[in-house]
Amino acid sequence: MSPEWWRNAVVYQIYPRSFADADGDGVGDLPGITGRLPALVELGVDALWLSPFYRSPQADAGYDVADYCDVDPLFGSLADFDALIGQAHRLGLKVIVDLVPNHSSDEHPWFQAALAAPAGSPERARYLFRDGVGPGGNEPPNNWPSVFGGPAWTRTTDADGSPGQWYLHLFDTKQPDFDWTNPEVRAEFLRVLRFWLDRGVDGFRVDVANALIKADGLPDVTSDAETNMMSTILTATSGAGDAIVHSGPTSPMWDQDGVHEIYRDWRRLLDEYPGDRMMVAEAWVSPLSRLARYVRPDEMHQAFNFEYLSAPWDAAAILAVIDSSIAVNDSVGAPTTWVLSNHDVVRHASRFGLADLTLRPNGIGATDDQPDAVLGLRRARAATLLMLGLPGSAYLYQGEELGLPEHTALDDDLRQDPTWMRSGQLERGRDGCRIPLPWEADAPGLGFGPTGRTWLPQPESYSALARDRQVGVNGSTLELYRAALATRRERDLGNGALRWVPSAPSVLTFSNGPVTVIANLGDGPVPLPPGELLLASGELVDGALPPDTAAWLVG
Ligand code: GLC
């Protein structure tokens, strides 16, 4: 019997507002995606993950959902969704949708009802409303900070105009957290899951899966690392993952044991459906052994491997994270996943070009130190070739197949990520990795849509990287991805097993079945291992592998 599809799948993340625009308003939409599906088949991915397209005031680009069972008119309609998934399935692509269960939008009917209802009412009990402390209840109920900056509490105003209770939002003010101890909330999300499963989705990416349950009594955070939570989720330092502390006994809001019961319920529901439906956890949890708890046999199927994403361009660090990832996932029978970029982090073609690789900034602005674009792309191509040679499942973020850099000089006035304002303009935020894709170099808006409008401006560098400039061009990043994905499929690398081959300290070499993967992270050229060269991320020099280059060989 062949393994479940998700065990070895390469999943391509679509950020709908920036993928392709069919109606010309400058914001990508579902028909835009449907129209471009053939490009994804040509690329050779197995599945798509769509970031949220639900009804939403877009306070956090759709991660603030006002109706979980409808499409926002900005992106189209439910009929457009049905057309998209129908076409994707005909083309052999699986479709995963984003589920945002930790919080809704403040414009969700439940939250509006809660605001209109008195303290202590069943309407308020679906969220986390509390009285303030201190004289007049003027202080927030505890000291929790919001991930986006500022306090995690906002005070409401009662009908008579007087200050009322406070509500919890781990993210933006417009993203109130649900109270997951309330059975009504649990029942509602089972309904939402069924709604999309009945519509044929193949799985769910579960947003902040480690946050749904908070410690009893909502106690203050005590550790500096957590009080300074801005540094945890979006600006985590790289390396050993030391700053990623969304877990552990000291954290009252992250990685509480109670979350697992929720995923067991969901797993039972998914198992009722035919066809290997799956869930993948977005959980910035450290260490990996805590993350593995989300993918035990009766819980989720996968979890994003952010420790891999956070590893610096350093052979020892990458080797260590690969080994521990495989070990902890093996211990629970889950496939290991790999990821280098997504809509929350600086694109890896820019990250790897930063002078200080131990930093992972939350966005880069025009006045910040700029990455070395040539070095960054060179390393990014090598890093991708290394990643796609690993057994397990890999996640790609739209545009990385074009080698797109971060927009590092975006006008600050155009920034839309709530992080920018909430951090008092200290953190640039994530707009720079969310720029509309360049499809055609000579078309207005680089072919993003029919009118040339784009909700954020594209940097000049995107023109030369437009897809039509890369198709069929030997050595282009797009052709490198296509060749790697085709070979990965042909050789079944996703189902393979990794065996390290002894190498110099700055070189990583492993075999996966018949294929040998080598990456040179050092300063000088290294000889290739024996075998026929299948692919290289850059040109060889006198038959040797130059620095910041990876290759695949066979035989
Ligand atoms: C996740 C999403 C991020 C969003 C946050 C709040 O981390 O990936 O984009 O802002 O959750 O929903």
Side-chain angles (χ1 to χ4, degrees), residues 60 63 100 103 148 171 175 205 207-208 233 282 343-344 430 434:
D60 182 22
Y63 283 95
V100 190
H103 44 263
F148 293 155
F171 293 87
Q175 292 169 296
R205 176 263 188 195
D207 193 62
V208 277
I233 188 165
E282 187 227 17
H343 67 294
D344 289 330
R430 302 159 293 172
R434 300 172 172 182

mmCIF file of all heavy atoms in Angstrom, residues 60 63 100 103 148 171 175 205 207-208 233 282 343-344 430 434, ligand 1:
data_model
loop_
_atom_site.group_PDB
_atom_site.id
_atom_site.type_symbol
_atom_site.label_atom_id
_atom_site.label_comp_id
_atom_site.label_asym_id
_atom_site.label_seq_id
_atom_site.Cartn_x
_atom_site.Cartn_y
_atom_site.Cartn_z
ATOM 1 N N ASP A 60 -5.531 41.663 9.866
ATOM 2 C CA ASP A 60 -4.268 40.918 9.848
ATOM 3 C C ASP A 60 -4.259 40.060 8.579
ATOM 4 O O ASP A 60 -4.045 38.846 8.630
ATOM 5 C CB ASP A 60 -4.134 40.066 11.120
ATOM 6 C CG ASP A 60 -2.807 39.316 11.175
ATOM 7 O OD1 ASP A 60 -1.845 39.742 10.502
ATOM 8 O OD2 ASP A 60 -2.733 38.295 11.899
ATOM 9 N N TYR A 63 -6.167 36.796 8.680
ATOM 10 C CA TYR A 63 -6.057 35.948 9.874
ATOM 11 C C TYR A 63 -6.947 36.496 11.001
ATOM 12 O O TYR A 63 -6.755 36.194 12.175
ATOM 13 C CB TYR A 63 -4.596 35.798 10.311
ATOM 14 C CG TYR A 63 -3.842 34.806 9.432
ATOM 15 C CD1 TYR A 63 -3.095 35.232 8.346
ATOM 16 C CD2 TYR A 63 -3.924 33.441 9.669
ATOM 17 C CE1 TYR A 63 -2.429 34.328 7.519
ATOM 18 C CE2 TYR A 63 -3.262 32.525 8.858
ATOM 19 C CZ TYR A 63 -2.526 32.967 7.790
ATOM 20 O OH TYR A 63 -1.885 32.061 6.979
ATOM 21 N N VAL A 100 -8.215 29.152 11.402
ATOM 22 C CA VAL A 100 -7.721 30.121 12.394
ATOM 23 C C VAL A 100 -8.575 30.002 13.664
ATOM 24 O O VAL A 100 -9.502 30.792 13.884
ATOM 25 C CB VAL A 100 -7.771 31.560 11.827
ATOM 26 C CG1 VAL A 100 -7.038 32.536 12.739
ATOM 27 C CG2 VAL A 100 -7.176 31.613 10.415
ATOM 28 N N HIS A 103 -8.476 32.712 17.473
ATOM 29 C CA HIS A 103 -9.174 33.990 17.616
ATOM 30 C C HIS A 103 -10.045 34.208 16.395
ATOM 31 O O HIS A 103 -9.781 33.648 15.334
ATOM 32 C CB HIS A 103 -8.162 35.135 17.722
ATOM 33 C CG HIS A 103 -7.040 35.001 16.715
ATOM 34 N ND1 HIS A 103 -5.830 34.440 17.022
ATOM 35 C CD2 HIS A 103 -6.958 35.304 15.397
ATOM 36 C CE1 HIS A 103 -5.049 34.418 15.961
ATOM 37 N NE2 HIS A 103 -5.716 34.937 14.945
ATOM 38 N N PHE A 148 2.098 41.100 18.472
ATOM 39 C CA PHE A 148 2.339 42.213 17.554
ATOM 40 C C PHE A 148 2.798 43.488 18.272
ATOM 41 O O PHE A 148 2.929 44.538 17.660
ATOM 42 C CB PHE A 148 1.069 42.542 16.758
ATOM 43 C CG PHE A 148 0.651 41.462 15.789
ATOM 44 C CD1 PHE A 148 -0.682 41.355 15.392
ATOM 45 C CD2 PHE A 148 1.569 40.571 15.259
ATOM 46 C CE1 PHE A 148 -1.088 40.386 14.486
ATOM 47 C CE2 PHE A 148 1.176 39.593 14.354
ATOM 48 C CZ PHE A 148 -0.153 39.501 13.973
ATOM 49 N N PHE A 171 -2.913 38.497 19.625
ATOM 50 C CA PHE A 171 -2.409 39.178 18.430
ATOM 51 C C PHE A 171 -2.998 40.597 18.402
ATOM 52 O O PHE A 171 -2.913 41.303 19.395
ATOM 53 C CB PHE A 171 -2.712 38.333 17.181
ATOM 54 C CG PHE A 171 -1.919 37.043 17.202
ATOM 55 C CD1 PHE A 171 -2.397 35.909 17.842
ATOM 56 C CD2 PHE A 171 -0.653 36.986 16.639
ATOM 57 C CE1 PHE A 171 -1.638 34.738 17.911
ATOM 58 C CE2 PHE A 171 0.115 35.828 16.707
ATOM 59 C CZ PHE A 171 -0.385 34.696 17.338
ATOM 60 N N GLN A 175 -8.383 40.887 16.967
ATOM 61 C CA GLN A 175 -8.349 39.426 16.934
ATOM 62 C C GLN A 175 -8.587 38.845 18.335
ATOM 63 O O GLN A 175 -7.682 38.289 18.947
ATOM 64 C CB GLN A 175 -6.996 38.950 16.386
ATOM 65 C CG GLN A 175 -6.802 39.291 14.902
ATOM 66 C CD GLN A 175 -5.377 39.061 14.444
ATOM 67 O OE1 GLN A 175 -4.452 39.728 14.929
ATOM 68 N NE2 GLN A 175 -5.175 38.146 13.523
ATOM 69 N N ARG A 205 -4.293 23.719 7.547
ATOM 70 C CA ARG A 205 -3.116 24.263 8.216
ATOM 71 C C ARG A 205 -3.691 24.993 9.431
ATOM 72 O O ARG A 205 -4.546 25.866 9.307
ATOM 73 C CB ARG A 205 -2.388 25.203 7.263
ATOM 74 C CG ARG A 205 -1.182 25.940 7.845
ATOM 75 C CD ARG A 205 -1.554 27.323 8.289
ATOM 76 N NE ARG A 205 -0.413 28.139 8.683
ATOM 77 C CZ ARG A 205 -0.513 29.255 9.366
ATOM 78 N NH1 ARG A 205 -1.699 29.719 9.722
ATOM 79 N NH2 ARG A 205 0.552 29.943 9.683
ATOM 80 N N ASP A 207 -3.643 27.441 12.364
ATOM 81 C CA ASP A 207 -2.962 28.662 12.784
ATOM 82 C C ASP A 207 -2.731 28.678 14.296
ATOM 83 O O ASP A 207 -3.621 28.319 15.070
ATOM 84 C CB ASP A 207 -3.864 29.844 12.399
ATOM 85 C CG ASP A 207 -3.181 31.185 12.490
ATOM 86 O OD1 ASP A 207 -2.197 31.380 11.759
ATOM 87 O OD2 ASP A 207 -3.638 32.041 13.273
ATOM 88 N N VAL A 208 -1.562 29.124 14.699
ATOM 89 C CA VAL A 208 -1.151 29.145 16.118
ATOM 90 C C VAL A 208 -1.765 28.019 16.944
ATOM 91 O O VAL A 208 -2.430 28.236 17.961
ATOM 92 C CB VAL A 208 -1.331 30.517 16.819
ATOM 93 C CG1 VAL A 208 -0.139 31.407 16.516
ATOM 94 C CG2 VAL A 208 -2.598 31.252 16.463
ATOM 95 N N ILE A 233 7.789 35.128 18.445
ATOM 96 C CA ILE A 233 7.160 34.475 17.305
ATOM 97 C C ILE A 233 7.705 34.957 15.978
ATOM 98 O O ILE A 233 7.984 34.168 15.093
ATOM 99 C CB ILE A 233 5.621 34.613 17.344
ATOM 100 C CG1 ILE A 233 5.004 33.751 16.244
ATOM 101 C CG2 ILE A 233 5.154 36.043 17.207
ATOM 102 C CD1 ILE A 233 3.527 33.536 16.408
ATOM 103 N N GLU A 282 0.738 24.863 12.793
ATOM 104 C CA GLU A 282 1.659 25.989 12.891
ATOM 105 C C GLU A 282 1.849 26.227 14.383
ATOM 106 O O GLU A 282 0.952 26.724 15.071
ATOM 107 C CB GLU A 282 1.094 27.262 12.253
ATOM 108 C CG GLU A 282 2.151 28.363 12.237
ATOM 109 C CD GLU A 282 1.701 29.733 12.709
ATOM 110 O OE1 GLU A 282 0.650 29.852 13.366
ATOM 111 O OE2 GLU A 282 2.408 30.706 12.446
ATOM 112 N N HIS A 343 4.825 33.337 4.834
ATOM 113 C CA HIS A 343 4.352 34.727 4.790
ATOM 114 C C HIS A 343 4.644 35.498 6.073
ATOM 115 O O HIS A 343 4.213 36.646 6.201
ATOM 116 C CB HIS A 343 2.840 34.715 4.539
ATOM 117 C CG HIS A 343 2.088 34.128 5.699
ATOM 118 N ND1 HIS A 343 2.207 32.796 6.061
ATOM 119 C CD2 HIS A 343 1.254 34.680 6.602
ATOM 120 C CE1 HIS A 343 1.471 32.575 7.128
ATOM 121 N NE2 HIS A 343 0.876 33.702 7.476
ATOM 122 N N ASP A 344 5.318 34.880 7.027
ATOM 123 C CA ASP A 344 5.617 35.544 8.298
ATOM 124 C C ASP A 344 7.093 35.880 8.481
ATOM 125 O O ASP A 344 7.453 36.507 9.492
ATOM 126 C CB ASP A 344 5.197 34.647 9.477
ATOM 127 C CG ASP A 344 3.687 34.549 9.635
ATOM 128 O OD1 ASP A 344 2.980 35.513 9.278
ATOM 129 O OD2 ASP A 344 3.217 33.494 10.107
ATOM 130 N N ARG A 430 5.841 42.158 8.225
ATOM 131 C CA ARG A 430 5.939 41.098 7.230
ATOM 132 C C ARG A 430 5.517 41.479 5.818
ATOM 133 O O ARG A 430 5.420 40.622 4.954
ATOM 134 C CB ARG A 430 5.109 39.908 7.741
ATOM 135 C CG ARG A 430 5.583 39.417 9.104
ATOM 136 C CD ARG A 430 4.524 38.626 9.834
ATOM 137 N NE ARG A 430 3.400 39.486 10.207
ATOM 138 C CZ ARG A 430 2.255 39.045 10.716
ATOM 139 N NH1 ARG A 430 2.074 37.760 10.898
ATOM 140 N NH2 ARG A 430 1.274 39.884 11.019
ATOM 141 N N ARG A 434 5.390 39.694 1.251
ATOM 142 C CA ARG A 434 4.016 39.471 0.780
ATOM 143 C C ARG A 434 3.704 40.269 -0.492
ATOM 144 O O ARG A 434 2.555 40.623 -0.754
ATOM 145 C CB ARG A 434 3.037 39.869 1.886
ATOM 146 C CG ARG A 434 3.229 39.061 3.150
ATOM 147 C CD ARG A 434 2.386 39.587 4.294
ATOM 148 N NE ARG A 434 2.449 38.684 5.435
ATOM 149 C CZ ARG A 434 1.789 38.865 6.571
ATOM 150 N NH1 ARG A 434 1.004 39.921 6.720
ATOM 151 N NH2 ARG A 434 1.894 37.992 7.548
HETATM 152 C C1 GLC B 1 0.012 32.952 12.424
HETATM 153 C C2 GLC B 1 -0.029 33.430 10.994
HETATM 154 C C3 GLC B 1 0.241 34.898 10.993
HETATM 155 C C4 GLC B 1 -0.855 35.578 11.777
HETATM 156 C C5 GLC B 1 -0.969 34.997 13.178
HETATM 157 C C6 GLC B 1 -2.250 35.387 13.838
HETATM 158 O O1 GLC B 1 1.259 33.094 13.006
HETATM 159 O O2 GLC B 1 0.875 32.709 10.212
HETATM 160 O O3 GLC B 1 0.301 35.414 9.695
HETATM 161 O O4 GLC B 1 -0.594 36.943 11.865
HETATM 162 O O5 GLC B 1 -0.965 33.595 13.164
HETATM 163 O O6 GLC B 1 -3.333 34.713 13.260
#
